[in-house]
Amino acid sequence: MSDENNNKTDSAILLIHCPDAKGLVASITDFVFKNNGNILYLDQHVDTQKSIFFMRIEWDLKGFAIPRDKIGEIFDASLGKKFRMHWTLNFSDEAPRIAIFVSKLPHCLYDILSRYKSGEWKIDIPLIISNHPDLKSVADTHDIDYHVFPITKENRVFQEAKELSLLKEHRIDLVVLARYMQILSNDFISQFQSQIINIHHSFLPAFPGAKPYHSAYERGVKVIGATSHYVTADLDNGPIIEQDVTRVSHADSINDLIRKGRDLEKIVLSRAVWYHINRKVLAYDNRTVVFT
Amino acid sequence: MSDENNNKTDSAILLIHCPDAKGLVASITDFVFKNNGNILYLDQHVDTQKSIFFMRIEWDLKGFAIPRDKIGEIFDASLGKKFRMHWTLNFSDEAPRIAIFVSKLPHCLYDILSRYKSGEWKIDIPLIISNHPDLKSVADTHDIDYHVFPITKENRVFQEAKELSLLKEHRIDLVVLARYMQILSNDFISQFQSQIINIHHSFLPAFPGAKPYHSAYERGVKVIGATSHYVTADLDNGPIIEQDVTRVSHADSINDLIRKGRDLEKIVLSRAVWYHINRKVLAYDNRTVVFT
Amino acid sequence: MSDENNNKTDSAILLIHCPDAKGLVASITDFVFKNNGNILYLDQHVDTQKSIFFMRIEWDLKGFAIPRDKIGEIFDASLGKKFRMHWTLNFSDEAPRIAIFVSKLPHCLYDILSRYKSGEWKIDIPLIISNHPDLKSVADTHDIDYHVFPITKENRVFQEAKELSLLKEHRIDLVVLARYMQILSNDFISQFQSQIINIHHSFLPAFPGAKPYHSAYERGVKVIGATSHYVTADLDNGPIIEQDVTRVSHADSINDLIRKGRDLEKIVLSRAVWYHINRKVLAYDNRTVVFT
Amino acid sequence: MSDENNNKTDSAILLIHCPDAKGLVASITDFVFKNNGNILYLDQHVDTQKSIFFMRIEWDLKGFAIPRDKIGEIFDASLGKKFRMHWTLNFSDEAPRIAIFVSKLPHCLYDILSRYKSGEWKIDIPLIISNHPDLKSVADTHDIDYHVFPITKENRVFQEAKELSLLKEHRIDLVVLARYMQILSNDFISQFQSQIINIHHSFLPAFPGAKPYHSAYERGVKVIGATSHYVTADLDNGPIIEQDVTRVSHADSINDLIRKGRDLEKIVLSRAVWYHINRKVLAYDNRTVVFT
């Protein structure tokens, strides 16, 4: 679904994964077809190694025989239980609610805010959270609440509790770590499974951890990258949503790598967030299916 | 389908396009499902502007209820006529028969021959045709017949007749113009619709015609490209199958562009031929659907 | 020179082009060497077709024997006249003064403003000019003056005169057309030669003019691009500073091309502006030398 | 220098690195200038962290005041000793002598041979060495000697001695490991320092060691790569000459990664070899300077 299609009627988006079985595509498309749904998007994937079936299907709600608030229930009764499906149902007119976490570097924050404020993305950003006060003026400029929670070893649990409370209060669907330089606790992560997206400034699994541009310079690579992934308990090891790279040469200093990397980071993070808010990503095991 | 899966049983590949209609995916997948076919690949696309439906579906022939030589007939009777489908049915164990046309530049020829001789591609190349004798030794080295038909304005019709006769005699499925520097007549092209693939040494529609690298140098572009397309009566304007680009700079001379372009040309042409021989391309109007 | 090196002492940057001659590099580097300058950057290029020599040389001003305000004069007397050089001398501590022209699309404007406000670029942006009032709130948010000059065939000369007057008053060094959808008159352009940078939303010379994404969709290309160039009297034909591309497929609608293109446009324009403000670009004939 | 410029007179190519010092560029260019040399190419780089100066300078030998066989000696006496330079002097009319090492995979071998046989590269390939007999027919087809040395833990030293003897006998300048799946001993490597180029089928430092495509699949990366590097005692850790990448998705099986990677490997290896044989690479510490 394109973000420009403002005149479209609303649509339903179903993301499904389940054990592979004969007849899945036929059954699901038939469900939509028989209820008078016009399919706008259909893509499916089978992980043949693990025999898992994945599908994204989107259809026009205009004229659909089942009322919106009954679709999930009836789908589950018809097919969900039978095929042991994990499924999520979303509607295109629902704007995801996003909290952004930042530290001191502003480029990813600016990029997301410009897409939000210009209407490029249909989302709500009710709050920005940081461990530093530095970027408060950016939040102020864009009229968004900015909450500072300095983090130390000692206060992490306590501060995270306050952050989580804010996230709940604001009914946050997605946490975006926009160069947030703190590690979240497993407890925090477990409350937002596949709902926290991070940007790491290297093409993982190369150069995990801190100072990847310095490591890249030391190693003398000819290509640098950035990686956006869901955050899991295993640091820098969550399911990758998007990666991209750019060429560098011997003539590039560490500062040049940082400069070139900045543009990569913001674009790669924004692509990953865009896929997520358009319900195009399914994470399983340590991989993602991205229906582009 | 990957070219490495040599141990797989044979499969059937159906390429379909037809006016879009509700229930198409359900009907087609149901046809395979009810006849006990295991779907190996499924992808579909709807051109919403023109309301055309496209599908590539591939299924395992092992245990399929319909014998191989009856599948087309029964599919057409069940669904093809009803939905006014254009469809082609191929089987994964059929090796396409390819004729390569060359002039004097050998790099694309070498690239295709190395994929053929190494078994990377399952194809047959019974003959190479050229308007020059220069590359005969390459053909000889690889034990392939090499036919020379010098072309002039006066003899074109006559020479093409001999070429066409050779193509028919060898039951050629696909003609690959591997930097062949002659223009084929409309009559020739009409006998191999969507069966002639050309490589043009620019990112079309920029720099059509002769000497694109010279034009690219003159224009001072920072990116050069190559384009592989089906040949139609409209020169350099056929449906594009694949394009790719590489960066250049002020420091690159025309000869540097030619050198960098050579690698682009051979890779882009080979990707396009690979898509075609694996039945992944559907051409319509002046566009292609490439199911990657 | 990297934009991060804030602690560096100031440096002098000399951009030179002249007829090629033996001894040029030796003479110029000797000039810096003998005056006790430490070279920080040196790159040169010879257009062998036209026998033109190009150089960018940057040296530390600390300990340099010639006072800053005499360097140009002495260089010209020593070498400039002798070799018939065109040269410009800049100093790294001078912040270029930029005016941004916009119409209704905000993404390029947002990208430049975020680099400005975050300190990523050392520039001044005293004003934004538009033919529409739409983006005034963006300018307000960033505390920059926003001037609206609606343009019609009839009033163009008159409105441009007012714009030029503003540019002069604010001592503008560079005009950035950030998706400004009006054509500037030759008179306007002649007053800012190699000082107006535009972004065109295609990989020129493919798809010049209006609606390039629609044309790209119609042509069925597999790659789209963006081009940043100096503006000359010959529309969409000025010297190209930077280009980049991204892959698209049959599955991308025109709106998808527009969405993917937006990110290309803003990054390509910002790269071009960065090269310019860091004195890395030399334009001649219809080409650029970009010392990266 | 482009490989197409067959009509050019011969040129001298000097590769230099030494401690950085004021006046280096002036002194070196002055040496060429005073001896009536016309500079065809000049590029230099300073590693400011380690204060090392690098230069590639190429000049026309026509009319040069110093006879070819005295250039090195006189340069060293004039500048080399004074600036403690490491330098190598080569002449453009000397064809490097290359030995290719292969195992069972033919794609890199085919790519190099096609460039050799077509005259794209001015080199000699007097022999191919393998630990398997499989690719002998490819060597036969191209009329090149093929030597089989099966390698076991026990016989490695003995077999390498025979290989080294062959390399010496044929006066080999460069060993290319074209998907050669054996590890060379430190003794072997020490005899060909910066003269052995390997291709590794991942974007190092990600996925070193065996089966990188399997690891890439497991990790769920969205980009795969290939890396060409000089071989040092530290496996997969030598100075990187060239890297490139290609996008992959969840839909790509391991076999798809292998297929896409094949094209990357052959192109990346051939680019690295081309840089080397055109005397464009300087290795130091664990990095390379590549003068493109």
Side-chain angles (χ1 to χ4, degrees), chain B residues 194-214:
Chain B
S194 297
Q195 289 177 293
I196 309 172
I197 296 179
N198 183 45
I199 181 73
H200 183 79
H201 39 317
S202 81
F203 48 78
L204 290 172
F207 312 124
K211 299 222 168 249
Y213 292 123
H214 291 72

Side-chain angles (χ1 to χ4, degrees), chain C residues 215-232:
Chain C
S215 305
Y217 181 84
E218 281 309 310
R219 183 61 190 88
V221 293
K222 301 300 184 186
V223 162
I224 58 167
T227 304
S228 192
H229 61 92
Y230 286 120
V231 173
T232 60

Side-chain angles (χ1 to χ4, degrees), chain A residues 58-72:
Chain A
E58 179 173 358
W59 67 93
D60 202 330
L61 285 173
K62 197 179 165 188
F64 195 59
I66 309 174
R68 195 166 153 146
D69 58 349
K70 295 284 179 195
I71 296 174

Side-chain angles (χ1 to χ4, degrees), chain B residues 103-291:
Chain B
S103 289
K104 293 183 172 179
L105 293 173
H107 54 286
C108 289
L109 175 63
Y110 268 114
D111 197 60
I112 293 169
L113 292 182
S114 72
R115 295 172 198 266
Y116 170 41
K117 287 296 175 179
S118 68
E120 188 180 315
W121 288 352
K122 286 187 204 154
I123 54 171
D124 283 318
I125 303 183
L127 80 163
I128 297 169
I129 287 176
S130 182
N131 55 332
H132 292 289
D134 305 52
L135 299 180
K136 182 169 190 313
S137 65
V138 181
D140 289 350
T141 296
H142 294 84
D143 275 324
I144 301 175
D145 284 353
Y146 188 87
H147 303 264
V148 181
F149 297 99
I151 306 283
T152 63
K153 261 188 193 168
E154 290 70 32
N155 75 1
R156 179 182 308 271
V157 174
F158 182 67
Q159 296 290 65
E160 282 195 352
K162 289 193 286 187
E163 291 169 355
L164 282 165
S165 163
L166 269 174
L167 299 182
K168 298 280 149 89
E169 175 192 329
H170 287 279
R171 291 167 292 118
I172 293 302
D173 300 307
L174 177 67
V175 172
V176 176
L177 308 185
R179 298 298 312 273
Y180 179 66
M181 307 307 273
Q182 286 292 322
I183 295 167
L184 299 172
S185 73
N186 290 356
D187 178 54
F188 188 115
I189 293 166
S190 70
Q191 297 188 43
F192 282 86
Q193 283 206 6
S194 297
Q195 289 177 293
I196 309 172
I197 296 179
N198 183 45
I199 181 73
H200 183 79
H201 39 317
S202 81
F203 48 78
L204 290 172
F207 312 124
K211 299 222 168 249
Y213 292 123
H214 291 72
S215 305
Y217 181 85
E218 280 310 309
R219 182 62 190 89
V221 294
K222 302 300 185 186
V223 162
I224 58 168
T227 305
S228 193
H229 60 93
Y230 287 119
V231 173
T232 60
D234 192 0
L235 187 66
D236 292 337
N237 249 326
I240 293 170
I241 306 169
E242 172 68 353
Q243 297 187 291
D244 211 344
V245 301
T246 198
R247 294 190 77 80
V248 295
S249 82
H250 64 268
D252 288 303
S253 65
I254 292 177
N255 279 334
D256 290 325
L257 301 192
I258 291 170
R259 170 177 56 80
K260 291 185 170 183
R262 235 176 355 230
D263 282 4
L264 267 183
E265 294 161 24
K266 74 184 191 188
I267 295 296
V268 167
L269 176 59
S270 284
R271 276 193 215 139
V273 171
W274 188 83
Y275 289 140
H276 181 96
I277 61 180
N278 284 278
R279 329 290 185 187
K280 289 173 175 286
V281 194
L282 268 164
Y284 75 108
D285 288 3
N286 210 38
R287 302 165 59 78
T288 61
V289 172
V290 182
F291 292 113

Side-chain angles (χ1 to χ4, degrees), chain C residues 252-270:
Chain C
D252 288 304
S253 66
I254 291 176
N255 279 336
D256 290 325
L257 302 193
I258 290 171
R259 171 177 55 81
K260 291 185 172 185
R262 236 178 352 230
D263 282 4
L264 267 183
E265 293 161 24
K266 75 184 191 189
I267 295 295
V268 167
L269 176 59
S270 284

Side-chain angles (χ1 to χ4, degrees), chain D residues 121-181:
Chain D
W121 287 353
K122 285 186 204 153
I123 53 171
D124 283 318
I125 302 183
L127 78 164
I128 296 169
I129 287 176
S130 183
N131 56 332
H132 291 288
D134 305 52
L135 300 180
K136 182 168 190 313
S137 65
V138 182
D140 289 351
T141 297
H142 293 85
D143 275 323
I144 301 175
D145 285 354
Y146 188 86
H147 302 264
V148 181
F149 297 100
I151 305 283
T152 62
K153 259 188 195 171
E154 290 70 31
N155 75 1
R156 180 182 307 272
V157 174
F158 183 65
Q159 297 289 64
E160 281 195 353
K162 289 194 286 187
E163 291 169 355
L164 282 166
S165 163
L166 269 174
L167 299 182
K168 299 280 149 89
E169 177 193 326
H170 286 280
R171 290 167 293 117
I172 293 302
D173 300 306
L174 176 68
V175 172
V176 176
L177 308 185
R179 298 298 314 271
Y180 179 66
M181 307 307 273

